[in-house]
Amino acid sequence: MMKSKPDEEDYWNSSKFKAFTFDDEDDEFSRLKESKQAVNSIRRLVEEDDDEDDVEKVSWSGEPVGRKTKTGSFQFSDSLSDSSVRLYAPELRKPKSEYKDYVSDWSPEETVHRMQQGKAVSLEKFRSLQDKLLLLDFSISAHDGNVITAVTLFTITFTVLFRELESRQTALRHFIHYLTETRDQRLLLELLRALGRTEDIALLQYKEHLSIADENKRRDFLKSCLSLPFSPEDSAHVQDHYTLLERQIIIEATDRQAERGGKVEIFQKFPRRASILNMPLITTLYYCCFYHYTESEGTYSSPLNVRQTFRISEKQFFVTALAARAKLKAWVDVDALFTSRNWLGFTRKKSPLGFHRVVDILQKNSAPTQVLQEYVGLVDDAELRISLAQKHKCHDIIINTYRDLKDRQQLLGYRGKVERGSVEERKINELLDNPQIRWKN
């Protein structure tokens, strides 16, 4: 049943979806408001049937009038989004005096120019495929993200135009960014399918795991993603993600039970601060180095098992294990990390990390001076070694370095900085009096 004219007026005045209003009863906009097309717009909102074509007015938000704007912050991937592009400008509301230009016969180029100026425009007259693409191309040439998004949203009402966006990468990026920000998953999937982007579709579906809170359901979902058409690199990532979560679930259940039982010493001395579930790989490795360092390689929680399963580099494993064992003040384990034995059976200190970095990690974990001194002495660069030794009060390192440099003047200067009558002062005096040392100054 059609509404009477007073009912229509009440509807537009009370609805939260306001259309443009025109108060001059004698002008062409009054007639437009009362036309069949305006009635059709009302019908769209109140779900009444009519066979007339719809009139679509596009605001600066890029939304047809009467459609809600969604908000969101979902980010797809670096290749599909441009975070520097703003999605919306404020919705266009102009003084009545400017409405006279609204239905003027503007060309596509003039229409885009007016949109850049913030003036009212009507896009409904661009109906043919050629006109829509011409309008889209002019918006791209204008280099205005808001205009590109608004025109793309108007143009893309035809599914066939999805393929046209493939040759217009700027508009495509803005449109995909808009859809990901507004979380319009349905339309985004439809667009990606039309473009044949199977790998992007797989990534979009994979990222749905972020909304699954239960760890067992998330694990099962990740397992179902393993058959999706990912690129080889992404496929390996998804496989590792599934394997890691599956392992975390097992470790979490075992450690929670051990902690509650109260019989495992390390859990009593160092209670767990958080669950290991959904933690990153390196955090998981640190956890295993902290609580399960001595376990055999055959267990899920063994650091060596984690390293092998997830192909962790020697350097990354070394840094993580060093930080975990230093945190526990397990200096014997720390020392063992550096011990290397050659084919003759001799041992020496070896590190995939610079020894100055090692000293920094140990110092942050309150290593005693005798521990720090050993690793400060292994720093290759003499100036850096002296600087670190001065910072950590490793007097022997400084004295020995000046001796090796045959720098008598520096040794004399440093003698004035040590305590009178100390072991360090006696050592310096012995070196200065040694006739076998050929000083350079």
Side-chain angles (χ1 to χ4, degrees), residues 332-377:
V332 173
D333 292 340
V334 168
D335 184 71
L337 284 170
F338 297 93
T339 302
S340 174
R341 189 181 300 272
N342 64 17
W343 64 280
L344 292 174
F346 295 104
T347 61
R348 64 189 181 91
K349 298 293 186 189
K350 183 180 177 181
S351 169
L353 190 67
F355 279 105
H356 64 286
R357 294 273 310 279
V358 171
V359 171
D360 185 54
I361 293 173
L362 296 176
Q363 186 270 330
K364 288 179 178 177
N365 287 281
S366 306
T369 303
Q370 61 268 28
V371 173
L372 286 174
Q373 181 167 291
E374 181 175 3
Y375 296 99
V376 170

mmCIF file of all heavy atoms in Angstrom, residues 332-377:
data_model
loop_
_atom_site.group_PDB
_atom_site.id
_atom_site.type_symbol
_atom_site.label_atom_id
_atom_site.label_comp_id
_atom_site.label_asym_id
_atom_site.label_seq_id
_atom_site.Cartn_x
_atom_site.Cartn_y
_atom_site.Cartn_z
ATOM 1 N N VAL A 332 76.074 -21.630 35.105
ATOM 2 C CA VAL A 332 76.700 -22.818 34.521
ATOM 3 C C VAL A 332 76.119 -23.086 33.136
ATOM 4 O O VAL A 332 76.845 -23.400 32.179
ATOM 5 C CB VAL A 332 76.507 -24.046 35.438
ATOM 6 C CG1 VAL A 332 77.018 -25.312 34.749
ATOM 7 C CG2 VAL A 332 77.221 -23.834 36.769
ATOM 8 N N ASP A 333 74.781 -22.963 33.033
ATOM 9 C CA ASP A 333 74.134 -23.147 31.722
ATOM 10 C C ASP A 333 74.571 -22.062 30.746
ATOM 11 O O ASP A 333 74.753 -22.319 29.548
ATOM 12 C CB ASP A 333 72.613 -23.119 31.876
ATOM 13 C CG ASP A 333 72.074 -24.326 32.625
ATOM 14 O OD1 ASP A 333 72.795 -25.343 32.678
ATOM 15 O OD2 ASP A 333 70.954 -24.247 33.154
ATOM 16 N N VAL A 334 74.711 -20.837 31.250
ATOM 17 C CA VAL A 334 75.165 -19.729 30.406
ATOM 18 C C VAL A 334 76.555 -20.044 29.852
ATOM 19 O O VAL A 334 76.823 -19.893 28.650
ATOM 20 C CB VAL A 334 75.180 -18.400 31.192
ATOM 21 C CG1 VAL A 334 75.925 -17.317 30.416
ATOM 22 C CG2 VAL A 334 73.745 -17.960 31.496
ATOM 23 N N ASP A 335 77.453 -20.478 30.725
ATOM 24 C CA ASP A 335 78.820 -20.785 30.299
ATOM 25 C C ASP A 335 78.841 -21.903 29.258
ATOM 26 O O ASP A 335 79.614 -21.864 28.291
ATOM 27 C CB ASP A 335 79.654 -21.189 31.516
ATOM 28 C CG ASP A 335 81.116 -21.423 31.168
ATOM 29 O OD1 ASP A 335 81.815 -20.432 30.888
ATOM 30 O OD2 ASP A 335 81.540 -22.593 31.156
ATOM 31 N N ALA A 336 77.970 -22.889 29.440
ATOM 32 C CA ALA A 336 77.936 -24.020 28.507
ATOM 33 C C ALA A 336 77.496 -23.608 27.111
ATOM 34 O O ALA A 336 77.872 -24.252 26.114
ATOM 35 C CB ALA A 336 77.005 -25.104 29.053
ATOM 36 N N LEU A 337 76.708 -22.542 27.018
ATOM 37 C CA LEU A 337 76.262 -22.067 25.709
ATOM 38 C C LEU A 337 77.432 -21.614 24.846
ATOM 39 O O LEU A 337 77.376 -21.665 23.609
ATOM 40 C CB LEU A 337 75.271 -20.907 25.871
ATOM 41 C CG LEU A 337 73.846 -21.250 26.288
ATOM 42 C CD1 LEU A 337 73.076 -19.987 26.648
ATOM 43 C CD2 LEU A 337 73.137 -21.987 25.151
ATOM 44 N N PHE A 338 78.517 -21.136 25.478
ATOM 45 C CA PHE A 338 79.650 -20.571 24.751
ATOM 46 C C PHE A 338 80.775 -21.578 24.522
ATOM 47 O O PHE A 338 81.689 -21.299 23.749
ATOM 48 C CB PHE A 338 80.230 -19.378 25.526
ATOM 49 C CG PHE A 338 79.263 -18.242 25.677
ATOM 50 C CD1 PHE A 338 78.447 -18.156 26.804
ATOM 51 C CD2 PHE A 338 79.156 -17.266 24.710
ATOM 52 C CE1 PHE A 338 77.556 -17.107 26.956
ATOM 53 C CE2 PHE A 338 78.266 -16.218 24.849
ATOM 54 C CZ PHE A 338 77.458 -16.137 25.977
ATOM 55 N N THR A 339 80.728 -22.695 25.188
ATOM 56 C CA THR A 339 81.837 -23.648 25.128
ATOM 57 C C THR A 339 81.837 -24.401 23.812
ATOM 58 O O THR A 339 80.842 -25.021 23.426
ATOM 59 C CB THR A 339 81.763 -24.642 26.300
ATOM 60 O OG1 THR A 339 81.785 -23.924 27.521
ATOM 61 C CG2 THR A 339 82.934 -25.605 26.246
ATOM 62 N N SER A 340 82.960 -24.319 23.139
ATOM 63 C CA SER A 340 83.126 -25.011 21.860
ATOM 64 C C SER A 340 84.403 -25.840 21.918
ATOM 65 O O SER A 340 85.435 -25.375 22.413
ATOM 66 C CB SER A 340 83.204 -23.998 20.713
ATOM 67 O OG SER A 340 83.499 -24.632 19.497
ATOM 68 N N ARG A 341 84.350 -27.051 21.387
ATOM 69 C CA ARG A 341 85.505 -27.947 21.429
ATOM 70 C C ARG A 341 85.973 -28.241 19.996
ATOM 71 O O ARG A 341 85.171 -28.613 19.143
ATOM 72 C CB ARG A 341 85.129 -29.242 22.143
ATOM 73 C CG ARG A 341 86.309 -30.161 22.436
ATOM 74 C CD ARG A 341 85.812 -31.423 23.136
ATOM 75 N NE ARG A 341 85.152 -31.107 24.395
ATOM 76 C CZ ARG A 341 85.784 -31.004 25.560
ATOM 77 N NH1 ARG A 341 87.110 -31.169 25.611
ATOM 78 N NH2 ARG A 341 85.125 -30.732 26.665
ATOM 79 N N ASN A 342 87.262 -28.038 19.749
ATOM 80 C CA ASN A 342 87.780 -28.305 18.409
ATOM 81 C C ASN A 342 88.187 -29.768 18.259
ATOM 82 O O ASN A 342 88.065 -30.569 19.188
ATOM 83 C CB ASN A 342 88.954 -27.374 18.082
ATOM 84 C CG ASN A 342 90.155 -27.604 18.995
ATOM 85 O OD1 ASN A 342 90.259 -28.638 19.651
ATOM 86 N ND2 ASN A 342 91.053 -26.640 19.038
ATOM 87 N N TRP A 343 88.705 -30.132 17.078
ATOM 88 C CA TRP A 343 88.979 -31.540 16.788
ATOM 89 C C TRP A 343 90.138 -32.096 17.614
ATOM 90 O O TRP A 343 90.301 -33.319 17.732
ATOM 91 C CB TRP A 343 89.247 -31.713 15.301
ATOM 92 C CG TRP A 343 90.481 -31.004 14.794
ATOM 93 C CD1 TRP A 343 90.600 -29.702 14.486
ATOM 94 C CD2 TRP A 343 91.759 -31.606 14.553
ATOM 95 N NE1 TRP A 343 91.861 -29.407 14.055
ATOM 96 C CE2 TRP A 343 92.605 -30.568 14.078
ATOM 97 C CE3 TRP A 343 92.274 -32.889 14.680
ATOM 98 C CZ2 TRP A 343 93.942 -30.791 13.752
ATOM 99 C CZ3 TRP A 343 93.602 -33.114 14.348
ATOM 100 C CH2 TRP A 343 94.424 -32.078 13.892
ATOM 101 N N LEU A 344 90.940 -31.197 18.211
ATOM 102 C CA LEU A 344 92.026 -31.657 19.079
ATOM 103 C C LEU A 344 91.579 -31.832 20.528
ATOM 104 O O LEU A 344 92.363 -32.279 21.363
ATOM 105 C CB LEU A 344 93.191 -30.664 19.017
ATOM 106 C CG LEU A 344 93.944 -30.599 17.678
ATOM 107 C CD1 LEU A 344 94.965 -29.476 17.710
ATOM 108 C CD2 LEU A 344 94.616 -31.943 17.385
ATOM 109 N N GLY A 345 90.320 -31.445 20.786
ATOM 110 C CA GLY A 345 89.804 -31.583 22.140
ATOM 111 C C GLY A 345 89.938 -30.347 22.992
ATOM 112 O O GLY A 345 89.534 -30.346 24.158
ATOM 113 N N PHE A 346 90.475 -29.264 22.417
ATOM 114 C CA PHE A 346 90.599 -28.024 23.189
ATOM 115 C C PHE A 346 89.280 -27.260 23.172
ATOM 116 O O PHE A 346 88.554 -27.246 22.178
ATOM 117 C CB PHE A 346 91.717 -27.145 22.616
ATOM 118 C CG PHE A 346 93.082 -27.757 22.731
ATOM 119 C CD1 PHE A 346 93.712 -28.309 21.628
ATOM 120 C CD2 PHE A 346 93.732 -27.802 23.956
ATOM 121 C CE1 PHE A 346 94.976 -28.886 21.731
ATOM 122 C CE2 PHE A 346 94.994 -28.363 24.074
ATOM 123 C CZ PHE A 346 95.610 -28.914 22.961
ATOM 124 N N THR A 347 88.972 -26.595 24.278
ATOM 125 C CA THR A 347 87.737 -25.802 24.377
ATOM 126 C C THR A 347 88.052 -24.314 24.315
ATOM 127 O O THR A 347 89.123 -23.868 24.740
ATOM 128 C CB THR A 347 86.994 -26.100 25.691
ATOM 129 O OG1 THR A 347 87.843 -25.758 26.789
ATOM 130 C CG2 THR A 347 86.597 -27.567 25.771
ATOM 131 N N ARG A 348 87.100 -23.576 23.760
ATOM 132 C CA ARG A 348 87.223 -22.115 23.729
ATOM 133 C C ARG A 348 85.826 -21.514 23.712
ATOM 134 O O ARG A 348 84.831 -22.201 23.428
ATOM 135 C CB ARG A 348 88.006 -21.660 22.506
ATOM 136 C CG ARG A 348 87.356 -21.972 21.176
ATOM 137 C CD ARG A 348 88.285 -21.684 20.026
ATOM 138 N NE ARG A 348 87.663 -21.955 18.730
ATOM 139 C CZ ARG A 348 86.995 -21.048 18.018
ATOM 140 N NH1 ARG A 348 86.865 -19.806 18.483
ATOM 141 N NH2 ARG A 348 86.463 -21.372 16.865
ATOM 142 N N LYS A 349 85.746 -20.232 24.017
ATOM 143 C CA LYS A 349 84.463 -19.536 24.025
ATOM 144 C C LYS A 349 84.117 -19.082 22.604
ATOM 145 O O LYS A 349 84.926 -18.431 21.943
ATOM 146 C CB LYS A 349 84.514 -18.307 24.941
ATOM 147 C CG LYS A 349 84.795 -18.618 26.397
ATOM 148 C CD LYS A 349 83.661 -19.377 27.043
ATOM 149 C CE LYS A 349 83.924 -19.547 28.535
ATOM 150 N NZ LYS A 349 82.970 -20.457 29.163
ATOM 151 N N LYS A 350 82.923 -19.417 22.168
ATOM 152 C CA LYS A 350 82.469 -19.049 20.832
ATOM 153 C C LYS A 350 81.010 -18.583 20.921
ATOM 154 O O LYS A 350 80.210 -19.168 21.656
ATOM 155 C CB LYS A 350 82.582 -20.250 19.892
ATOM 156 C CG LYS A 350 82.197 -19.951 18.454
ATOM 157 C CD LYS A 350 82.340 -21.202 17.597
ATOM 158 C CE LYS A 350 81.893 -20.941 16.173
ATOM 159 N NZ LYS A 350 81.992 -22.159 15.325
ATOM 160 N N SER A 351 80.684 -17.511 20.171
ATOM 161 C CA SER A 351 79.319 -16.967 20.239
ATOM 162 C C SER A 351 78.873 -16.477 18.866
ATOM 163 O O SER A 351 79.631 -15.809 18.164
ATOM 164 C CB SER A 351 79.267 -15.798 21.238
ATOM 165 O OG SER A 351 78.029 -15.115 21.131
ATOM 166 N N PRO A 352 77.626 -16.818 18.458
ATOM 167 C CA PRO A 352 77.085 -16.264 17.202
ATOM 168 C C PRO A 352 76.672 -14.807 17.359
ATOM 169 O O PRO A 352 76.285 -14.157 16.398
ATOM 170 C CB PRO A 352 75.857 -17.156 16.941
ATOM 171 C CG PRO A 352 75.425 -17.605 18.292
ATOM 172 C CD PRO A 352 76.681 -17.740 19.102
ATOM 173 N N LEU A 353 76.774 -14.306 18.573
ATOM 174 C CA LEU A 353 76.408 -12.928 18.906
ATOM 175 C C LEU A 353 77.656 -12.210 19.381
ATOM 176 O O LEU A 353 78.526 -12.798 20.018
ATOM 177 C CB LEU A 353 75.357 -12.946 20.020
ATOM 178 C CG LEU A 353 74.649 -11.656 20.378
ATOM 179 C CD1 LEU A 353 73.750 -11.203 19.234
ATOM 180 C CD2 LEU A 353 73.818 -11.844 21.646
ATOM 181 N N GLY A 354 77.773 -10.933 19.043
ATOM 182 C CA GLY A 354 78.911 -10.166 19.515
ATOM 183 C C GLY A 354 79.002 -10.207 21.036
ATOM 184 O O GLY A 354 77.987 -10.100 21.737
ATOM 185 N N PHE A 355 80.227 -10.338 21.577
ATOM 186 C CA PHE A 355 80.355 -10.462 23.027
ATOM 187 C C PHE A 355 79.938 -9.189 23.769
ATOM 188 O O PHE A 355 79.570 -9.246 24.942
ATOM 189 C CB PHE A 355 81.789 -10.866 23.406
ATOM 190 C CG PHE A 355 82.044 -12.337 23.263
ATOM 191 C CD1 PHE A 355 82.783 -12.834 22.195
ATOM 192 C CD2 PHE A 355 81.529 -13.227 24.188
ATOM 193 C CE1 PHE A 355 83.009 -14.196 22.068
ATOM 194 C CE2 PHE A 355 81.748 -14.592 24.069
ATOM 195 C CZ PHE A 355 82.491 -15.080 22.994
ATOM 196 N N HIS A 356 79.978 -8.047 23.097
ATOM 197 C CA HIS A 356 79.482 -6.828 23.752
ATOM 198 C C HIS A 356 77.972 -6.922 23.969
ATOM 199 O O HIS A 356 77.438 -6.418 24.958
ATOM 200 C CB HIS A 356 79.834 -5.587 22.924
ATOM 201 C CG HIS A 356 79.183 -5.543 21.571
ATOM 202 N ND1 HIS A 356 79.600 -6.338 20.530
ATOM 203 C CD2 HIS A 356 78.142 -4.807 21.094
ATOM 204 C CE1 HIS A 356 78.846 -6.093 19.465
ATOM 205 N NE2 HIS A 356 77.957 -5.173 19.784
ATOM 206 N N ARG A 357 77.262 -7.608 23.030
ATOM 207 C CA ARG A 357 75.826 -7.840 23.224
ATOM 208 C C ARG A 357 75.592 -8.843 24.343
ATOM 209 O O ARG A 357 74.621 -8.738 25.109
ATOM 210 C CB ARG A 357 75.209 -8.374 21.923
ATOM 211 C CG ARG A 357 75.194 -7.407 20.760
ATOM 212 C CD ARG A 357 73.963 -6.515 20.776
ATOM 213 N NE ARG A 357 72.739 -7.275 20.924
ATOM 214 C CZ ARG A 357 72.110 -7.908 19.937
ATOM 215 N NH1 ARG A 357 72.627 -7.896 18.713
ATOM 216 N NH2 ARG A 357 70.980 -8.539 20.157
ATOM 217 N N VAL A 358 76.446 -9.823 24.436
ATOM 218 C CA VAL A 358 76.348 -10.816 25.512
ATOM 219 C C VAL A 358 76.478 -10.129 26.863
ATOM 220 O O VAL A 358 75.693 -10.380 27.799
ATOM 221 C CB VAL A 358 77.444 -11.896 25.357
ATOM 222 C CG1 VAL A 358 77.479 -12.804 26.591
ATOM 223 C CG2 VAL A 358 77.213 -12.721 24.097
ATOM 224 N N VAL A 359 77.457 -9.236 26.980
ATOM 225 C CA VAL A 359 77.674 -8.499 28.236
ATOM 226 C C VAL A 359 76.428 -7.687 28.584
ATOM 227 O O VAL A 359 76.013 -7.629 29.757
ATOM 228 C CB VAL A 359 78.905 -7.580 28.104
ATOM 229 C CG1 VAL A 359 79.009 -6.652 29.311
ATOM 230 C CG2 VAL A 359 80.167 -8.415 27.960
ATOM 231 N N ASP A 360 75.820 -7.085 27.593
ATOM 232 C CA ASP A 360 74.620 -6.280 27.832
ATOM 233 C C ASP A 360 73.477 -7.141 28.386
ATOM 234 O O ASP A 360 72.794 -6.749 29.332
ATOM 235 C CB ASP A 360 74.192 -5.606 26.525
ATOM 236 C CG ASP A 360 73.016 -4.666 26.719
ATOM 237 O OD1 ASP A 360 73.106 -3.776 27.577
ATOM 238 O OD2 ASP A 360 71.994 -4.834 26.019
ATOM 239 N N ILE A 361 73.270 -8.325 27.804
ATOM 240 C CA ILE A 361 72.211 -9.230 28.280
ATOM 241 C C ILE A 361 72.493 -9.693 29.707
ATOM 242 O O ILE A 361 71.591 -9.708 30.564
ATOM 243 C CB ILE A 361 72.086 -10.441 27.331
ATOM 244 C CG1 ILE A 361 71.570 -9.994 25.967
ATOM 245 C CG2 ILE A 361 71.158 -11.497 27.934
ATOM 246 C CD1 ILE A 361 71.575 -11.093 24.912
ATOM 247 N N LEU A 362 73.740 -10.047 29.973
ATOM 248 C CA LEU A 362 74.103 -10.509 31.311
ATOM 249 C C LEU A 362 73.958 -9.394 32.341
ATOM 250 O O LEU A 362 73.487 -9.631 33.465
ATOM 251 C CB LEU A 362 75.534 -11.041 31.312
ATOM 252 C CG LEU A 362 75.793 -12.286 30.446
ATOM 253 C CD1 LEU A 362 77.269 -12.652 30.464
ATOM 254 C CD2 LEU A 362 74.948 -13.467 30.935
ATOM 255 N N GLN A 363 74.353 -8.197 31.976
ATOM 256 C CA GLN A 363 74.248 -7.062 32.907
ATOM 257 C C GLN A 363 72.792 -6.754 33.242
ATOM 258 O O GLN A 363 72.450 -6.453 34.395
ATOM 259 C CB GLN A 363 74.933 -5.841 32.277
ATOM 260 C CG GLN A 363 75.023 -4.628 33.197
ATOM 261 C CD GLN A 363 73.808 -3.720 33.061
ATOM 262 O OE1 GLN A 363 73.213 -3.650 31.998
ATOM 263 N NE2 GLN A 363 73.456 -3.048 34.146
ATOM 264 N N LYS A 364 71.917 -6.842 32.254
ATOM 265 C CA LYS A 364 70.494 -6.583 32.491
ATOM 266 C C LYS A 364 69.878 -7.618 33.426
ATOM 267 O O LYS A 364 68.838 -7.366 34.045
ATOM 268 C CB LYS A 364 69.738 -6.560 31.161
ATOM 269 C CG LYS A 364 70.027 -5.321 30.325
ATOM 270 C CD LYS A 364 69.270 -5.344 29.003
ATOM 271 C CE LYS A 364 69.536 -4.085 28.207
ATOM 272 N NZ LYS A 364 68.871 -4.104 26.879
ATOM 273 N N ASN A 365 70.513 -8.788 33.506
ATOM 274 C CA ASN A 365 70.022 -9.836 34.397
ATOM 275 C C ASN A 365 70.857 -9.940 35.677
ATOM 276 O O ASN A 365 70.868 -10.975 36.345
ATOM 277 C CB ASN A 365 70.004 -11.176 33.663
ATOM 278 C CG ASN A 365 68.878 -11.263 32.642
ATOM 279 O OD1 ASN A 365 67.726 -11.500 32.975
ATOM 280 N ND2 ASN A 365 69.220 -11.049 31.368
ATOM 281 N N SER A 366 71.554 -8.831 36.001
ATOM 282 C CA SER A 366 72.292 -8.704 37.272
ATOM 283 C C SER A 366 73.352 -9.778 37.461
ATOM 284 O O SER A 366 73.483 -10.351 38.557
ATOM 285 C CB SER A 366 71.303 -8.708 38.449
ATOM 286 O OG SER A 366 70.314 -7.729 38.288
ATOM 287 N N ALA A 367 74.106 -10.048 36.402
ATOM 288 C CA ALA A 367 75.194 -11.012 36.528
ATOM 289 C C ALA A 367 76.276 -10.459 37.454
ATOM 290 O O ALA A 367 76.563 -9.263 37.439
ATOM 291 C CB ALA A 367 75.789 -11.305 35.150
ATOM 292 N N PRO A 368 76.918 -11.304 38.276
ATOM 293 C CA PRO A 368 77.986 -10.826 39.154
ATOM 294 C C PRO A 368 79.213 -10.379 38.344
ATOM 295 O O PRO A 368 79.390 -10.766 37.187
ATOM 296 C CB PRO A 368 78.304 -12.051 40.017
ATOM 297 C CG PRO A 368 77.824 -13.228 39.224
ATOM 298 C CD PRO A 368 76.647 -12.743 38.440
ATOM 299 N N THR A 369 80.076 -9.585 38.989
ATOM 300 C CA THR A 369 81.233 -9.009 38.302
ATOM 301 C C THR A 369 82.142 -10.070 37.701
ATOM 302 O O THR A 369 82.653 -9.917 36.591
ATOM 303 C CB THR A 369 82.034 -8.123 39.276
ATOM 304 O OG1 THR A 369 81.178 -7.114 39.793
ATOM 305 C CG2 THR A 369 83.210 -7.472 38.571
ATOM 306 N N GLN A 370 82.377 -11.169 38.431
ATOM 307 C CA GLN A 370 83.277 -12.206 37.908
ATOM 308 C C GLN A 370 82.747 -12.843 36.638
ATOM 309 O O GLN A 370 83.520 -13.256 35.761
ATOM 310 C CB GLN A 370 83.556 -13.285 38.966
ATOM 311 C CG GLN A 370 82.357 -14.053 39.474
ATOM 312 C CD GLN A 370 81.739 -13.415 40.714
ATOM 313 O OE1 GLN A 370 81.844 -12.194 40.897
ATOM 314 N NE2 GLN A 370 81.125 -14.241 41.558
ATOM 315 N N VAL A 371 81.400 -12.938 36.507
ATOM 316 C CA VAL A 371 80.800 -13.462 35.273
ATOM 317 C C VAL A 371 80.947 -12.448 34.150
ATOM 318 O O VAL A 371 81.363 -12.778 33.034
ATOM 319 C CB VAL A 371 79.320 -13.831 35.489
ATOM 320 C CG1 VAL A 371 78.660 -14.220 34.158
ATOM 321 C CG2 VAL A 371 79.191 -14.977 36.485
ATOM 322 N N LEU A 372 80.614 -11.181 34.449
ATOM 323 C CA LEU A 372 80.723 -10.132 33.438
ATOM 324 C C LEU A 372 82.157 -10.003 32.934
ATOM 325 O O LEU A 372 82.401 -9.834 31.732
ATOM 326 C CB LEU A 372 80.255 -8.787 34.016
ATOM 327 C CG LEU A 372 78.751 -8.598 34.204
ATOM 328 C CD1 LEU A 372 78.483 -7.282 34.923
ATOM 329 C CD2 LEU A 372 78.039 -8.618 32.862
ATOM 330 N N GLN A 373 83.109 -10.066 33.852
ATOM 331 C CA GLN A 373 84.513 -9.859 33.500
ATOM 332 C C GLN A 373 84.989 -10.869 32.462
ATOM 333 O O GLN A 373 85.745 -10.522 31.546
ATOM 334 C CB GLN A 373 85.379 -9.954 34.758
ATOM 335 C CG GLN A 373 86.860 -9.732 34.514
ATOM 336 C CD GLN A 373 87.619 -9.525 35.812
ATOM 337 O OE1 GLN A 373 87.451 -8.498 36.473
ATOM 338 N NE2 GLN A 373 88.448 -10.496 36.177
ATOM 339 N N GLU A 374 84.553 -12.099 32.599
ATOM 340 C CA GLU A 374 84.975 -13.129 31.652
ATOM 341 C C GLU A 374 84.564 -12.794 30.227
ATOM 342 O O GLU A 374 85.335 -12.994 29.280
ATOM 343 C CB GLU A 374 84.392 -14.481 32.067
ATOM 344 C CG GLU A 374 84.807 -15.610 31.155
ATOM 345 C CD GLU A 374 84.329 -16.957 31.641
ATOM 346 O OE1 GLU A 374 83.623 -17.005 32.675
ATOM 347 O OE2 GLU A 374 84.653 -17.972 30.984
ATOM 348 N N TYR A 375 83.330 -12.246 30.066
ATOM 349 C CA TYR A 375 82.827 -11.980 28.721
ATOM 350 C C TYR A 375 83.240 -10.613 28.203
ATOM 351 O O TYR A 375 83.362 -10.432 26.992
ATOM 352 C CB TYR A 375 81.308 -12.164 28.700
ATOM 353 C CG TYR A 375 80.938 -13.595 29.003
ATOM 354 C CD1 TYR A 375 80.533 -13.971 30.280
ATOM 355 C CD2 TYR A 375 81.074 -14.588 28.036
ATOM 356 C CE1 TYR A 375 80.244 -15.294 30.565
ATOM 357 C CE2 TYR A 375 80.785 -15.909 28.319
ATOM 358 C CZ TYR A 375 80.374 -16.261 29.589
ATOM 359 O OH TYR A 375 80.101 -17.584 29.872
ATOM 360 N N VAL A 376 83.476 -9.668 29.108
ATOM 361 C CA VAL A 376 84.031 -8.376 28.684
ATOM 362 C C VAL A 376 85.413 -8.604 28.064
ATOM 363 O O VAL A 376 85.779 -8.002 27.048
ATOM 364 C CB VAL A 376 84.128 -7.396 29.868
ATOM 365 C CG1 VAL A 376 84.929 -6.154 29.463
ATOM 366 C CG2 VAL A 376 82.728 -6.977 30.333
ATOM 367 N N GLY A 377 86.192 -9.507 28.655
ATOM 368 C CA GLY A 377 87.534 -9.800 28.152
ATOM 369 C C GLY A 377 87.544 -10.440 26.781
ATOM 370 O O GLY A 377 88.593 -10.469 26.110
#
